[in-house]
Amino acid sequence: MSERSIALTPLMRSAPLLAALAAGACVPAHAGYAEVQRLGVERLGVKPVWHQAESAHVATSSEVKKLLATPLTADAAVRVAILNSPSLQGSFEDLGGARAGLVHALRVPNPVASAALRFDGSTRPEIDLSVSEDVTELLYIASRRGIAQAELNAATITVVGSLLALAYDVRAAFYRHQAARQLAELRASALSSLKASAEVAESLHTAGNITDLDLSNEQALYEEARLAFAGSETELVASRERLSSLMGLFGADAAWTAGSRLPELPAADTEFEDLERRSIANSLDLALIRHRFEAAARKANLSRWRGALPELKAGVSAERQSDWSIGPLVELELPLFYQGQGETGTALSDMRRQERNFEDVAIRLRAAARATAARLSAARGSAAHYRNVLLPLRARILEASEAEYNAMGIGVFQLLEAKRAQIQAGGAFVELLRDYWLARADAEQLLAGRLPRSDLGAEQLVREGAQLERGRGGLGQH
């Protein structure tokens, strides 16, 4: 993009007065809304509803209650949020503001009327009447329309971006809630196992069969498990409230239920191949900057024309002295001392800012896509390794420990330790599975055209992805 990439010629593109009046009257009441719905279906598979545009609040409330009546899935939670979120409904008002800007751009200047009385001592004063119209502003209607349309396009992209951000925030929050629920259940099992171990240790200590140190170790493990379980319960409540907030739910509606298990790993992630290139091609963030650049370029061109051309007003003047006289009126403001340098400079500065923003977002997008692909691969490899190798190993160890315990080959503490190790492995698997689905949600959001909100900075994403790959021994490559 450059300052010369959009060349406008206001005088060539100007419409007649009647065409301008018709254009101003024909601006749709909810301009941009149909495009938001189209992009919502195209990018997300969900048709958003603007309550203000369709007076559909009663119908959407009914659909929300129907969705909440059954255990939620991630897709259902997204649908509830899109129908019900006050934040998203507020974002739609960006369209109203941009539409108002378009109506204002298509305005025909109001005529200016003036009157004057002059007294020269006679009983009949002289009267001057005039009506004039700013002709120059009529010439710029097409240019103003181009600016306002670019700003409306930018507002449309902004609303779609808010839609996608909400959808994937809800999806991520849903996965976190499911993981928190599973972890709470596993930690409850671990607490039960450690409680039994502590009670056995207390009995054996009373009988003089174990030392004070052995008893203290078992008690410490139990107390740690109690704290871990309390923390998991707090996390479960927090994750639920976070999801309710994103869906715009409170009161009785917040009593929703959800599936208690994270989805299993899908067979493959082939839909995320070539993630970097496709993320750039689909990016709404880059499209938004292009529209803002276009608006700034059009403003710069309009400012140049305003500075170069004199301001012309034309109309009719009438004067009464002894008799009435009437004739044309012309006013011409000559651009001798100021040619709009301030407005032009502001617009050019905004253009350069948008160019830099474009470069910055493109770099961040590429880094986010590469890091997300690395996270997705590493999380899949690690979760699959736990599922296929470590969890079966822990199950076999527990089974063998139970056989040894029944044969009196090991004591109860060894059996309980095998059980605890199995539970811990299950918790680690849940966390890895959660990480996989969160990375997958980020990848889906990138393909839909939006930088994930988890992108706190490209450098951080790259660093986290590299650390995850190294820390798990390259399991994602297997």
Side-chain angles (χ1 to χ4, degrees):
M1 294 186 294
S2 69
E3 297 172 7
R4 298 183 178 86
S5 59
I6 301 175
L8 305 175
T9 309
L11 294 177
M12 295 176 61
R13 295 189 178 185
S14 297
L17 175 60
L18 291 178
L21 287 167
C26 293
V27 177
H30 302 290
Y33 177 43
E35 181 67 6
V36 170
Q37 289 190 311
R38 185 188 72 80
L39 289 172
V41 173
E42 177 185 291
R43 301 296 180 104
L44 195 60
V46 177
K47 187 177 182 180
V49 175
W50 185 9
H51 299 165
Q52 179 68 26
E54 300 191 10
S55 300
H57 188 58
V58 174
T60 55
S61 295
S62 177
E63 184 174 351
V64 166
K65 291 186 181 298
K66 183 178 179 181
L67 289 167
L68 296 176
T70 57
L72 289 175
T73 62
D75 290 339
V78 168
R79 182 62 181 162
V80 169
I82 289 174
L83 291 174
N84 199 57
S85 169
S87 173
L88 181 60
Q89 292 302 314
S91 296
F92 274 113
E93 296 304 326
D94 288 347
L95 297 179
R99 188 254 179 198
L102 181 57
V103 172
H104 183 261
L106 295 174
R107 73 193 184 282
V108 174
N110 293 319
V112 177
S114 63
L117 293 175
R118 288 193 293 275
F119 299 92
D120 56 4
S122 66
T123 58
R124 192 178 188 186
E126 296 181 5
I127 301 175
D128 286 340
L129 300 175
S130 66
V131 177
S132 63
E133 177 71 25
D134 192 335
V135 178
T136 309
E137 283 301 310
L138 296 177
L139 301 177
Y140 295 134
I141 286 178
S143 293
R144 294 201 311 264
R145 178 175 186 165
I147 294 169
Q149 185 62 55
E151 290 174 343
L152 176 61
N153 292 340
T156 301
I157 296 299
T158 299
V159 175
V160 177
S162 298
L163 172 68
L164 293 181
L166 174 65
Y168 289 104
D169 280 352
V170 170
R171 194 172 293 277
F174 186 84
Y175 294 144
R176 291 183 188 280
H177 175 69
Q178 283 189 310
R181 185 171 177 178
Q182 283 185 254
L183 288 170
E185 292 173 359
L186 286 168
R187 285 170 183 162
S189 296
L191 179 61
S192 177
S193 176
L194 286 165
K195 182 179 180 181
S197 180
E199 288 173 350
V200 169
E202 182 71 34
S203 299
L204 292 175
H205 182 265
T206 301
N209 293 327
I210 63 171
T211 65
D212 292 343
L213 177 60
D214 291 332
L215 175 62
S216 296
N217 281 332
E218 292 300 322
Q219 289 175 333
L221 289 172
Y222 172 59
E223 294 302 328
E224 289 172 356
R226 286 181 61 187
L227 289 174
F229 177 66
S232 65
E233 284 192 314
T234 301
E235 177 60 29
L236 180 59
V237 171
S239 67
R240 182 183 182 88
E241 293 302 329
R242 166 68 174 162
L243 185 53
S244 290
S245 174
L246 288 169
M247 292 190 293
L249 301 176
F250 62 94
D253 288 339
W256 50 268
T257 60
S260 60
R261 293 289 183 272
L262 285 165
E264 295 295 330
L265 286 173
D269 294 321
T270 54
E271 61 267 47
F272 302 116
E273 292 178 355
D274 202 10
L275 183 61
E276 181 180 343
R277 181 191 63 79
R278 293 165 65 197
S279 296
I280 292 292
N282 296 342
S283 174
L284 291 174
D285 299 284
L286 295 179
L288 173 61
I289 295 173
R290 291 190 191 99
H291 288 307
R292 287 175 174 169
F293 179 89
E294 180 185 357
R298 289 177 179 272
K299 287 177 183 177
N301 287 338
L302 179 58
S303 297
R304 290 192 186 102
W305 279 105
R306 283 183 182 278
L309 297 179
E311 182 177 333
L312 174 65
K313 293 182 181 179
V316 176
S317 175
E319 180 181 3
R320 189 192 74 177
Q321 293 180 344
S322 58
D323 294 309
W324 282 98
S325 60
I326 189 169
L329 169 69
V330 176
E331 294 181 11
L332 194 65
E333 179 185 325
L334 300 177
L336 298 179
F337 305 110
Y338 183 71
Q339 295 83 39
Q341 293 94 333
E343 292 84 352
T344 302
T346 298
L348 292 175
S349 179
D350 193 20
M351 288 172 62
R352 291 190 292 270
R353 179 185 298 109
Q354 298 307 327
E355 285 184 306
R356 301 290 82 78
N357 287 345
F358 190 93
E359 294 172 3
D360 175 61
V361 171
I363 291 170
R364 292 178 61 204
L365 262 173
R366 292 182 181 279
R370 293 193 298 270
T372 299
R375 287 170 52 215
L376 187 65
S377 176
R380 164 180 276 281
S382 297
H385 192 71
Y386 259 79
R387 181 193 61 190
N388 299 333
V389 179
L390 289 175
L391 291 182
L393 270 176
R394 285 298 176 189
R396 288 198 298 271
I397 290 171
L398 179 60
E399 184 179 354
S401 297
E402 289 173 343
E404 286 287 324
Y405 176 74
N406 292 333
M408 302 184 68
I410 61 173
V412 66
F413 293 129
Q414 289 88 340
L415 176 62
L416 291 172
E417 176 58 33
K419 178 64 175 175
R420 289 197 297 270
Q422 185 193 41
I423 293 171
Q424 289 171 354
F429 172 68
V430 169
E431 290 175 342
L432 289 168
L433 193 58
R434 176 200 62 199
D435 291 347
Y436 168 80
W437 284 107
L438 291 176
R440 187 181 175 94
D442 283 352
E444 290 173 348
Q445 188 167 4
L446 282 165
L447 286 183
R450 181 76 172 180
L451 260 172
R453 287 192 182 179
S454 59
D455 174 33
L456 302 178
E459 181 180 355
Q460 179 176 340
L461 272 178
V462 172
R463 184 171 61 250
E464 287 180 354
Q467 288 175 346
L468 187 60
E469 189 72 27
R470 290 195 303 268
R472 291 176 179 165
L475 290 172
Q477 304 301 319
H478 294 168

